[in-house]
Amino acid sequence: AARWVLDTIVRGVAALPKPAVPSYVAVDVRVATHVGRSVELSLTGRNLLDDVHAEFGDPLTRSEFGRSLFFEVVARL
C-alpha cells in the first residue's frame, strides 16, 4: 500500500520600512510517496497564495518571487 506524506508551511512576514517592502503571507505544500523501499516521488508548490511578492530590496530594482511547482525523484542506493 502506498504511504503518502503531506507537508504544509505557512509563513507570515511583516512589512519592512526602508526600503519599503509590503507584508505577505506565503504557503508551501509538498505531497510525497514512496515507490518501493528506495524511491520517493514528490510534488511541491511554493508561494501558492500570490502571483508574486517582494521579499527585500529597493522597489525599482528588487526581484519578486512567484509561484513555483517542483517534481522530484529521490533514489537512495
Side-chain angles (χ1 to χ4, degrees), residues 8-14 23-29 45-49 53 55 65-66:
T8 304
I9 297 174
V10 178
R11 62 189 181 280
V13 179
S23 64
Y24 65 91
V25 174
V27 173
D28 301 344
V29 176
R46 292 188 181 153
N47 299 315
L48 298 177
L49 293 182
H53 69 265
E55 293 187 2
F65 295 84

Side-chain angles (χ1 to χ4, degrees), residues 5-6 10 13 39 52 59:
V5 176
L6 175 66
V10 178
V13 179
V39 177
V52 295

Side-chain angles (χ1 to χ4, degrees), residues 1 19 22 26 28 31-32 38 42 44-45 52 55 57-61 63 68 72-74 77:
D28 301 344
V31 178
S38 60
S42 66
T44 303
V52 295
E55 293 187 2
D58 183 272
L60 298 176
T61 60
S63 297
S68 56
E72 184 176 33
V73 177
V74 176
L77 304 173

